[in-house]
Amino acid sequence: MKDQLKQLEREYESVPVPAALDEIITQTTPRHLRMAKKIKWAASSIIATILFTTTLNISPAFAENIAKIPGFDKVVDVLTFQRFEINEPNRKAVIEVPHVTGDSAELQALNMRYEKKGKELYAQFKAETQKNMTAHTSITTGYETVVSTQQLLVVGDYYVNNVGSSSTTMHYITIDKQKQLIVTLPSLFKNRGYQQAISAYIKDEMRQRMIQSNGEELYWVTGTEYYKKSDGYTFEKISKKQNFYINEHHKLVICFDKYDVAPGAMGLQEFEIPTKILKPYLLTNEYIK
Amino acid sequence: MKKIEKEFLQFIQENKQRFYYFAYSYTKNEQDALDVIQESLHKAWKALYKIKDIQSIKSWFYQILAHTAIDLLRKQKRVGVMEDFQLEKLSPKQCDTYKDVDVELALNQLPIHLREIVILRYFEDLKLDDIATILNMPLSTVKTQLYRALKLLKKQLKGDF
């Protein structure tokens, strides 16, 4: 039997391991733990094929916005500030850096963050692909205007990374146009009780969705027959820096990236929170009604 | 970097191929195996802070891998968990002769709940105790299942003896 088991083991280990495995490992490793990579600029002729554009994109839409400015009021809006592009057979990257118009210090700081992030992503992508030129990789980052009302502007910036399988992250910023302020989650509430209340609502909602779909939809939450604690990670509660936005109906929407609370196949997840659940904790009804 | 994070990183780098073999033994295709690993790593990094004992990383992570793989299979409905009576019915009879069954086929013919025990014990070198934790079953069950699996394998490999 021993020989047979050895033989079986050889068979077990004979499966070719795809190159994409390394990419997946890098991708899943928390950012702060990834090896600091020496970035080699201008290392080879490849650089010649790289399109590098740094142009303030004065689009017709932007011109229109300027036209709308009633003399002294500055319109808070979002437009493309920078665009980096790499287009090669094996690696493609499109990085669009958003820019929010407005002159408050907070919005300026936000723009600096966007810009820094764009540059970092570009450098990181180049460094990572230089190391492994055979795997097909592509990243796309950009932004979209999710909500634009008189009062609020919600900008979502996304990041799609394709290495064999894809991962997507989406991050929202909710801006009060009139005050030129960024709305944060804790600033909406009187105390921390909201975290518990929202988490409880979301977990119930997840369980219901799992039961209704007979486990077709799966969330990493216990309390149904479809997911057990022993399955690994379980979602307990939303974080202090939870991703969120406020939609045009004045409802709070809590957002999760792929793999945050559910298997990757479930994609990005959003939960609209009924305002009555938030009532006891709300500081003002200014944004959420 | 925390110590546990460093250990886990190192563990991943040293064993990544083995994760792939293990995941592949369930999914039987590349894309699904990669998905299982990706999902497991996501879960593991999130739950890593709960690990007190570095020694337990291996069985802990294999537990996540096994559960994630089974979840995926359950979703795809390609494989259902087989009950013992079905197993008895479907396994080759004593009198049957399988001259040309090759070795790989023998392993794949084992129902998944027996296959994973053989793999964990003999290929991944895990202790019976750890396997009991990983597969969430009593130690005695692991023992009887392993015995059953070996018996079945022997039958299937009879031609080679």
Side-chain angles (χ1 to χ4, degrees), chain A residues 23 60 63 78 83 108-109 121 126 130 180 187 215 217 239 244 258 277:
Chain A
E23 296 300 327
V78 61
R83 197 182 149 88
Q108 294 307 324
L121 277 175
K126 275 187 49 175
Q130 215 112 60
Q180 297 206 5
S187 75
E217 289 184 29
S239 75
F244 80 100
K258 226 170 141 172
I277 282 168

Side-chain angles (χ1 to χ4, degrees), chain B residues 5-117:
Chain B
E5 292 177 333
K6 209 174 143 190
E7 294 280 342
F8 188 50
L9 262 185
Q10 198 185 342
F11 170 73
I12 294 172
Q13 282 307 332
E14 283 168 3
N15 296 284
K16 55 190 178 187
Q17 292 186 323
R18 307 217 58 90
F19 303 160
Y20 185 77
Y21 302 145
F22 187 59
Y24 193 90
S25 76
Y26 291 88
T27 65
K28 298 293 166 210
N29 82 69
E30 178 181 320
Q31 193 51 55
D32 287 344
L34 288 174
D35 281 352
V36 166
I37 294 175
Q38 187 173 32
E39 208 147 304
S40 302
L41 285 169
H42 273 290
K43 285 182 188 169
W45 279 114
K46 273 186 223 263
L48 189 64
Y49 71 95
K50 289 184 200 157
I51 296 294
K52 296 277 178 302
D53 178 13
I54 285 168
Q55 300 302 316
S56 64
I57 277 189
K58 184 174 177 183
S59 54
W60 170 74
F61 188 66
Y62 273 85
Q63 180 176 23
I64 296 179
L65 274 175
H67 281 268
T68 308
I70 291 285
D71 263 349
L72 184 102
L73 293 184
R74 201 190 295 144
K75 279 207 89 170
Q76 295 177 337
K77 297 200 171 75
R78 264 187 226 149
V79 181
V81 177
M82 234 187 254
E83 300 295 340
D84 278 0
F85 70 90
Q86 287 172 296
L87 174 69
E88 234 70 79
K89 217 162 63 187
L90 293 173
S91 34
K93 298 270 160 6
Q94 199 81 47
C95 57
D96 287 348
T97 50
Y98 284 84
K99 282 203 177 96
D100 293 320
V101 177
D102 75 2
V103 191
E104 195 208 359
L105 210 60
L107 190 59
N108 284 338
Q109 276 190 347
L110 282 185
I112 206 148
H113 72 284
L114 296 184
R115 197 199 311 154
E116 58 190 358
I117 295 182

Side-chain angles (χ1 to χ4, degrees), chain A residues 25-285:
Chain A
I25 287 166
T26 313
Q27 213 182 77
T28 48
T29 305
R31 211 162 274 273
H32 71 281
L33 297 175
R34 293 185 197 171
M35 297 295 171
K37 285 175 194 108
K38 284 255 161 65
I39 299 155
K40 281 185 218 139
W41 294 90
S44 65
S45 61
I46 302 158
I47 208 87
T49 63
I50 296 171
L51 274 156
F52 189 93
T53 44
T54 312
T55 47
L56 181 61
N57 183 354
I58 305 178
S59 62
F62 183 45
E64 224 172 274
N65 278 332
I66 290 175
K68 267 191 256 163
I69 299 171
F72 51 91
D73 229 3
K74 218 171 180 191
V75 176
V76 173
D77 206 346
V78 61
L79 53 108
T80 303
F81 180 58
Q82 282 175 318
R83 197 182 149 88
F84 306 96
E85 216 178 300
I86 298 177
N87 198 344
E88 288 169 31
N90 272 348
R91 47 180 203 164
K92 296 195 188 327
V94 177
I95 298 171
E96 263 182 8
V97 180
H99 180 92
V100 177
T101 55
D103 37 22
S104 77
E106 215 175 320
L107 294 185
Q108 294 307 324
L110 174 68
N111 286 329
M112 300 260 283
R113 284 205 300 278
Y114 278 146
E115 216 175 308
K116 189 163 167 255
K117 204 163 131 195
K119 281 192 180 138
E120 273 172 10
L121 277 175
Y122 180 77
Q124 196 188 341
F125 178 76
K126 275 187 49 175
E128 274 171 21
T129 50
Q130 215 112 60
K131 191 180 47 146
N132 184 0
M133 290 294 285
T134 49
H136 286 257
T137 41
S138 82
I139 59 169
T140 311
T141 76
Y143 65 90
E144 59 187 56
T145 309
V146 184
V147 178
S148 183
T149 62
Q150 283 254 294
Q151 183 192 30
L152 292 176
L153 174 71
V154 177
V155 180
D157 58 297
Y158 55 85
Y159 171 69
V160 184
N161 186 341
N162 271 304
V163 199
S165 61
S166 79
S167 83
T168 311
T169 58
M170 182 88 170
H171 183 249
Y172 297 96
I173 293 272
T174 304
I175 299 165
D176 181 325
K177 281 184 181 176
Q178 273 122 36
K179 294 184 190 150
Q180 297 206 5
L181 279 177
I182 295 170
V183 180
T184 66
L185 197 54
S187 75
L188 296 168
F189 300 102
K190 282 184 255 182
N191 56 45
R192 287 226 200 113
Y194 75 90
Q195 280 187 20
Q196 213 58 47
I198 293 174
S199 307
Y201 172 79
I202 290 175
K203 283 192 279 188
D204 270 349
E205 180 67 26
M206 287 172 170
R207 288 181 194 116
Q208 264 175 34
R209 289 187 194 177
M210 281 158 83
I211 291 165
Q212 270 162 21
S213 65
N214 278 323
E216 267 305 296
E217 289 184 29
L218 188 71
Y219 294 93
W220 293 336
V221 68
T222 51
T224 68
E225 58 178 300
Y226 304 107
Y227 195 79
K228 296 182 294 295
K229 215 176 176 83
S230 56
D231 285 339
Y233 170 80
T234 49
F235 168 67
E236 297 298 341
K237 69 174 194 167
I238 58 168
S239 75
K240 274 178 224 151
K241 291 184 173 173
Q242 186 61 47
N243 202 2
F244 80 100
Y245 65 87
I246 298 166
N247 68 17
E248 66 270 30
H249 308 297
H250 302 282
K251 296 279 184 287
L252 178 68
V253 181
I254 297 288
C255 314
F256 298 98
D257 279 334
K258 226 170 141 172
Y259 300 107
D260 265 359
V261 291
M266 295 286 290
L268 302 171
Q269 287 292 323
E270 291 193 351
F271 293 86
E272 191 181 291
I273 312 297
T275 302
K276 65 172 195 290
I277 282 168
L278 305 173
K279 268 258 155 71
Y281 309 101
L282 277 179
L283 202 57
T284 77
N285 275 344

